[in-house]
Amino acid sequence: MRAEPPPLAADPTALSRLLGTTLDALRDGARTRGGPLPAGGPEAVARRVREALGEPLPETGHGPDEALRTLVRVLAEGAADPAHPLCAAHLHTPPLALAAAADLAASALNPSMDSWDQAPAASAIEDRVTAALAAEVFPDAPRPDALVTTGGTESNQLALLLARERQGRQGRQGRAVRTVVGANAHHSFQRAAWLLGLPEPVVVPTPRGTLDPAAVREALAALTGPVLVVATAGTTDEGLIDPIPALADLCAAYRADDRADDRADNHADLHVDAAYGGPLLFSRTHRPLLDGLARARTVTVDLHKLGWQPAAAGLLAVRDAADLAVLGHTAAYLNADDDTEAGLPDLLGRSLRTTRRPDVLKTAVTLRALGRAGLGELVDACMDRAQELADLVEKAPGLDLRARPTLTTVLFRPNGPGVTDGTVAAVRRTLLAEGRAVLGRAEADGRLWLKATLLNPHATSGDLAQLITLVEGSTHR
């Protein structure tokens, strides 16, 4: 006689009971870890996982409670926990509890965002929320829109794809779209150009960390044909913002020059990679740092950074929804012409993916719960923590500060006789191996720096002081 099949996630009673086991395991694992990440390094973590996991595919299962209890606990015990205030290496945010709860609902119901009959309400929610967020990026545009993506890499690739398709794959005179990026730009642009069969991006040096408009003007002068200029609002290494208004002026001038010498193939659009800095739009205090953003053709924003969403929660906002028409695609079993003509929404043109989670739900819940003001307060809190950490570094005689932070990234390093880049790297690895703190690393000004990326609005002054103490203590061992 066959056993009863396991309950489905849509059964709230069964799900509630399993959630209790899961939450207990999360709590127990975090308690055992006792810090921002597990001590002992990769070998120790791998050993504990092997011991807990045993045979990954046993002949006979251990049952749902044991499996959840064992593996969720070992995952939590071996996690780099972004909710811990001393876990501050990367653009790796601690998600809000309400966003995680909404994500659970999305997982339980499992809408698939590739046809309306798989996601009736989810598709309507996505339509409303993306329209609102697109209007936040492009407040004066008559028809802005936004696509939900897996993050900055996908959004940037889509931006290059749209630029290519606007001009035709080889331009009107056989010239492919060229991409002009700064040396500070995200690595995804090189990969996107490769995937799309475009020439390698023209890389403009950024010795001061941001694009120099004069250097971009010089790069444009050497090019002909369609161009996509990429600005960054929140660089990965230093959290810096390129001069967006000046770069938008250069793109406009390139188009004006085009008309003057009758080379209709010449055209320059601006894309802004604001994966990190985009949510400053929610802050009344810091929104002016993004002046000029609305002059871009496309903008990348990640809400799993300064938006406190579980990954993934990316967006590509476009100033003109007509640009998205090239993504249209027909599969008769998903969006047959007669269904579309009868009024069923066509979702295939909303992504290059087919099966797609309703990642917009957690964002919709967060926006409704906190509003612009509430999200802005979280942004402001993290910006304030970064300034406070910079103050502490400046007061510490054994540390050097790279520069005052623009966003929430602070670069600093030990100083003194005998301190080398090797010293800086060793300090970071020591703190990792001991499970005491998670700091990143970045190269700037020809030197290696420790990087603190402060995305936890619950971090306190005491947490920041402890971070300084740990770095100073590790330097002199």
Side-chain angles (χ1 to χ4, degrees):
M1 182 175 180
R2 291 185 177 179
E4 182 75 15
L8 301 177
D11 178 349
T13 302
L15 185 59
S16 177
R17 186 180 66 78
L18 292 172
L19 275 178
T21 302
T22 302
L23 295 175
D24 287 343
L26 282 172
R27 189 178 300 110
D28 291 344
R31 186 182 299 117
T32 302
R33 185 182 69 243
L37 81 166
E43 290 185 7
V45 173
R47 184 183 66 253
R48 289 193 289 268
V49 169
R50 283 195 306 270
E51 292 170 353
L53 184 59
E55 174 56 51
L57 182 59
E59 184 63 31
T60 302
H62 296 274
D65 291 298
E66 190 279 340
L68 277 170
R69 185 167 52 248
T70 299
L71 295 188
V72 173
R73 175 169 177 158
V74 78
L75 178 70
E77 182 181 343
D81 181 8
H84 194 290
L86 299 184
C87 188
H90 303 288
L91 289 164
H92 182 198
T93 196
L96 297 171
L98 66 92
D103 217 22
L104 171 65
S107 293
L109 292 168
N110 204 31
S112 184
M113 305 292 290
D114 50 309
S115 66
W116 183 87
D117 59 357
Q118 298 176 86
S123 61
I125 291 172
E126 182 175 274
D127 181 64
R128 295 279 292 170
V129 172
T130 52
L133 291 172
E136 195 73 19
V137 177
F138 298 108
D140 299 323
R143 294 185 63 234
D145 202 351
L147 302 179
V148 175
T149 71
T150 55
T153 294
E154 183 185 353
S155 294
N156 291 336
Q157 182 181 343
L158 277 170
L160 264 66
L161 173 64
L162 296 179
R164 187 190 75 177
E165 295 304 298
R166 281 195 298 271
Q167 301 300 325
R169 298 195 178 190
Q170 289 298 322
R172 284 184 287 273
Q173 299 195 16
R175 292 187 287 246
V177 174
R178 301 300 305 270
T179 310
V180 175
V181 304
N184 62 348
H186 194 261
H187 63 82
S188 57
F189 291 102
Q190 277 78 9
R191 178 171 288 186
W194 168 66
L195 286 169
L196 294 169
L198 295 173
E200 286 190 13
V202 175
V203 179
V204 178
T206 53
R208 294 183 176 84
T210 57
L211 277 169
D212 178 1
V216 176
R217 183 184 301 110
E218 183 177 342
L220 288 174
L223 297 174
T224 57
V227 176
L228 185 70
V229 175
V230 173
T232 305
T235 60
T236 303
D237 277 349
E238 299 188 69
L240 303 178
I241 297 176
D242 286 333
I244 299 171
L247 296 172
D249 288 344
L250 286 176
C251 290
Y254 189 83
R255 290 194 294 271
D257 291 344
D258 164 29
R259 291 192 299 271
D261 57 17
D262 197 31
R263 293 179 297 174
D265 188 65
N266 282 16
H267 189 81
D269 284 326
L270 178 65
H271 170 68
V272 180
D273 179 3
Y276 180 6
L280 265 65
L281 290 170
F282 300 128
S283 166
R284 290 185 178 180
T285 302
H286 300 291
R287 185 184 180 109
L289 289 171
L290 298 179
D291 281 353
L293 188 68
R295 297 177 63 189
R297 187 79 178 244
T298 50
V299 175
T300 289
V301 178
D302 277 0
L303 294 174
H304 55 240
K305 294 183 172 70
L306 279 173
W308 299 278
Q309 301 297 290
L315 292 169
L316 177 70
V318 298
R319 191 170 60 208
D320 186 351
D323 284 356
L324 299 179
V326 296
L327 300 179
H329 182 72
T330 298
Y333 75 105
L334 294 174
N335 61 343
D337 288 344
D338 58 321
D339 278 347
T340 302
E341 291 167 3
L344 296 185
D346 179 354
L347 304 185
L348 275 188
R350 303 296 298 174
S351 177
L352 294 180
R353 293 169 283 150
T354 303
T355 301
R356 184 164 62 87
R357 296 184 78 250
D359 286 318
V360 75
L361 177 64
K362 59 201 172 193
T363 299
V365 169
T366 301
L367 296 177
R368 181 174 176 84
L370 301 182
R372 185 185 291 104
L375 280 166
E377 288 176 3
L378 295 180
V379 170
D380 293 347
C382 291
M383 297 281 279
D384 290 346
R385 294 292 82 73
Q387 295 298 328
E388 188 175 350
L389 180 60
D391 291 342
L392 291 175
V393 172
E394 287 185 326
K395 293 174 183 176
L399 300 175
D400 286 338
L401 179 69
R402 159 71 173 156
R404 299 297 304 187
T406 300
L407 296 180
T408 68
T409 299
V410 182
L411 299 190
F412 63 104
R413 57 178 275 149
N415 60 28
V419 172
T420 65
D421 285 354
T423 307
V424 176
V427 167
R428 175 179 177 270
R429 287 193 293 268
T430 296
L431 293 173
L432 288 175
E434 295 176 350
R436 291 174 173 267
V438 189
L439 288 170
R441 54 186 289 162
E443 293 184 5
D445 195 25
R447 294 187 291 172
L448 184 65
W449 299 81
L450 296 173
K451 178 174 69 170
T453 309
L454 303 177
L455 298 178
N456 189 338
H458 290 275
T460 66
S461 299
D463 296 325
L464 302 181
Q466 184 182 1
L467 188 60
I468 295 295
T469 299
L470 287 171
V471 170
E472 290 178 321
S474 299
T475 303
H476 302 297
R477 292 186 184 182

